[in-house]
Amino acid sequence: MFEKIKKVMPDGKISREKKEKRKLPKGKKKSGKGTRITIWICIILIAISGVFAYLKSTKVEGATAKNTSKIASLLKEKPVEKISDYQSNKLLLFTNDFLEKYINVPQDTDGRTMRTDTLSKLYAKELKQDDLSNFEGYRELKNKTYFSTIEYKDMAVVQYDITYNNVGLVEKERKKKEKYKEGKKEKTRDVVEKYQEKEIKEVHALINIPVRSIKGVYSVIENVFFTQVPKLSTNKTNAVENMMDVEQEPEISATEKDDVEAFLKDFFKRYASSSVDDLAYMMKKPEALNGLKEFQEITYFKAYEQKKQTLIKLSVIFKDIDSTMTNTEDFSLTLSKKDGKYFIEKLTHTLGGK
C-alpha cells in the first residue's frame, strides 16, 4: 500500500499527469478574392437595375399623367351626351303597355273596373279617365305599329299607327217556332224573340300618347288623342338615273363592249347560282345569290372607260327558282383587266353614281 502511495506521491506531493495539448491541423488557406469580386458584381448589377427601374417608372408615370391630362381635356371639349329619356327603349315599353290596356275595353263590368284601376297607375295624378258607362259592347286592338316620337322641352308625344275594332251589341228581333199544347194536342206557333247582334266597325287611326319622364319613369300626363294616319308616299320625285348617260359620256368601243357583255352574262349566271366562295376569283368583295335566283337576261347595258378601268351600268332580270316570277335589279360595276381577264373591283346595287 505504501508503495502505491509512493508512486502517486514520490516527493510527498500529489503528482498529476500532464495533459497533451491537442490542436486540429490547420487546413490550407484558400483565397477569397474571387468570392469578393462576385459579390461586388452582384451589388453593382442590382444597383444599376434599380436605377433603370426607377427611371422607367418615372417615364411611365409621366406618360400616364400626360394621357390623363389629355383625356380630361378631351372630355371637357366633347362631353359625353346623355341619351334622353324620350329616346330610350324604356319609353316604348311603357307606351306599348299603356296602349294595350287603353284600347282594349272589356264588355263586362268587372273587366272594365280592372281596366280603370290599371290605367290609373299609368296616368298622372288627377287626370280623369273617360266615362264608358254608355258604351254597349267592347273594343279590341287588332294591330299596332310604332310611328314616331315628337319630343318637346319637358314631354313627348308617342305616336302609333293602330287598327282596332269597335264591337257594338245591337238589339234585334227574329221570329221562331214555339211548341205549345192545346188540350191534348201539341201545336206550334210563331213568336218574336229578341237577341243581340254584334256590329263590328274597324277603325284605322294614329293614336298620340302625351308622356312625361320623371327620373327615368313615365306617366301619361294628358288625354290621348287620335289623328288621321298621314300619307307616307309620293310620286313627285324622279327615279334614279344613269347620270353617265344623261351627261352623254362616251362609251367604250363596240368590240370591247361585246367582250364585256359576254363576261357579264357569264358572271351573272354564276352570281345567281354559285356561292360567295366560288366568286372569290372574280370579285374583290364577293357576293352571290347562292341558288336563290336564276339569271335570265341583261335588259339595259352601258359601258364607260375610266382611268384604266371600265364602269358598267346595267339592269338584269332574274327568275325565282321553281317559279315563273321574275324581277329586275340594277347594278353598277367597276371592271379592271389583267392578262386579258376581267375582274370586278366594285359592285353596287344602283344605276346611280359615277
Side-chain angles (χ1 to χ4, degrees):
M1 182 176 177
F2 289 107
E3 288 179 1
K4 289 180 180 180
I5 292 170
K6 192 176 181 180
K7 285 180 181 180
V8 176
M9 303 172 61
D11 299 324
K13 295 180 181 178
I14 296 172
S15 64
R16 296 180 181 176
E17 292 183 5
K18 291 182 180 180
K19 292 182 180 180
E20 293 183 6
K21 291 182 181 179
R22 296 180 182 179
K23 292 183 181 180
L24 292 172
K26 293 182 180 180
K28 293 181 180 179
K29 291 184 179 179
K30 291 184 179 179
S31 173
K33 187 175 181 181
T35 304
R36 288 196 300 273
I37 291 171
T38 303
I39 291 170
W40 276 109
I41 289 172
C42 290
I43 291 170
I44 291 167
L45 289 174
I46 291 170
I48 292 170
S49 63
V51 171
F52 278 116
Y54 172 76
L55 292 174
K56 189 175 181 180
S57 65
T58 305
K59 186 178 180 182
V60 169
E61 285 176 4
T64 304
K66 188 178 179 181
N67 290 334
T68 304
S69 176
K70 188 181 288 186
I71 291 168
S73 63
L74 288 172
L75 288 173
K76 286 180 181 178
E77 290 174 8
K78 295 182 179 180
V80 178
E81 293 183 5
K82 183 183 176 183
I83 296 174
S84 166
D85 287 341
Y86 302 113
Q87 296 172 350
S88 170
N89 283 335
K90 294 187 297 180
L91 174 64
L92 299 185
L93 290 173
F94 171 81
T95 51
N96 264 298
D97 183 48
F98 171 82
L99 182 58
E100 293 275 353
K101 292 175 171 58
Y102 177 82
I103 292 295
N104 289 307
V105 179
Q107 182 180 352
D108 61 287
T109 305
D110 291 341
R112 291 189 182 189
T113 301
M114 187 180 294
R115 172 184 177 274
T116 301
D117 292 341
T118 304
L119 286 176
S120 66
K121 297 172 184 175
L122 305 176
Y123 278 121
K125 291 185 294 183
E126 299 179 0
L127 182 60
K128 293 182 179 179
Q129 298 187 41
D130 295 322
D131 181 8
L132 302 177
S133 58
N134 293 324
F135 177 41
E136 296 179 359
Y138 57 94
R139 186 169 69 187
E140 57 184 6
L141 180 65
K142 289 187 68 178
N143 57 65
K144 66 181 187 298
T145 305
Y146 170 72
F147 190 82
S148 69
T149 298
I150 304 170
E151 190 173 344
Y152 298 96
K153 185 178 180 181
D154 61 345
M155 62 169 289
V157 175
V158 184
Q159 300 176 312
Y160 285 86
D161 182 340
I162 63 170
T163 303
Y164 62 90
N165 285 337
N166 275 328
V167 183
L169 300 175
V170 181
E171 192 173 272
K172 292 190 175 183
E173 295 181 347
R174 61 189 172 193
K175 290 182 179 180
K176 65 178 250 183
K177 297 290 184 181
E178 183 183 72
K179 291 181 180 181
Y180 71 98
K181 282 188 177 183
E182 192 176 286
K184 292 183 178 181
K185 291 183 179 180
E186 190 177 84
K187 295 183 178 182
T188 59
R189 61 187 173 191
D190 290 330
V191 294
V192 176
E193 179 187 50
K194 291 183 178 181
Y195 70 98
Q196 287 185 326
E197 187 177 89
K198 290 181 181 180
E199 284 191 351
I200 301 174
K201 292 184 179 179
E202 185 178 274
V203 180
H204 180 214
L206 198 71
I207 187 171
N208 300 262
I209 308 171
V211 178
R212 179 172 293 152
S213 169
I214 301 174
K215 295 181 180 179
V217 293
Y218 303 94
S219 180
V220 177
I221 59 170
E222 202 169 4
N223 288 314
V224 303
F225 59 95
F226 294 85
T227 53
Q228 186 178 4
V229 178
K231 188 179 179 181
L232 300 178
S233 60
T234 181
N235 57 5
K236 296 179 181 179
T237 184
N238 297 323
V240 174
E241 294 181 273
N242 173 14
M243 295 307 296
M244 301 290 287
D245 197 31
V246 172
E247 295 173 6
Q248 298 182 341
E249 294 288 336
E251 291 191 68
I252 59 176
S253 66
T255 304
E256 189 177 357
K257 190 174 179 180
D258 289 341
D259 291 342
V260 170
E261 189 169 6
F263 165 77
L264 291 175
K265 284 180 180 179
D266 177 63
F267 165 74
F268 279 108
K269 286 179 184 177
R270 298 173 187 271
Y271 174 85
S273 61
S274 303
S275 67
V276 171
D277 293 337
D278 294 334
L279 293 181
Y281 74 99
M282 299 181 78
M283 304 178 71
K284 191 172 185 177
K285 292 183 177 180
E287 61 176 270
L289 296 177
N290 199 24
L292 181 66
K293 301 276 187 178
E294 181 182 311
F295 169 74
Q296 293 290 286
E297 61 177 316
I298 296 173
T299 57
Y300 175 85
F301 179 82
K302 297 282 185 175
Y304 311 91
E305 190 172 338
Q306 283 194 334
K307 295 180 181 179
K308 299 181 181 180
Q309 293 182 332
T310 306
L311 176 64
I312 312 297
K313 302 284 185 178
L314 74 165
S315 297
V316 181
I317 294 179
F318 294 101
K319 184 180 79 69
D320 285 349
I321 299 297
D322 301 325
S323 170
T324 56
M325 177 65 73
T326 61
N327 70 291
T328 303
E329 298 186 16
D330 300 320
F331 295 89
S332 291
L333 296 94
T334 302
L335 303 185
S336 62
K337 193 173 185 181
K338 189 176 181 181
D339 299 329
K341 293 182 179 180
Y342 290 106
F343 183 79
I344 299 174
E345 298 287 345
K346 184 180 179 182
L347 181 149
T348 55
H349 296 264
T350 178
L351 283 177
K354 292 186 178 183

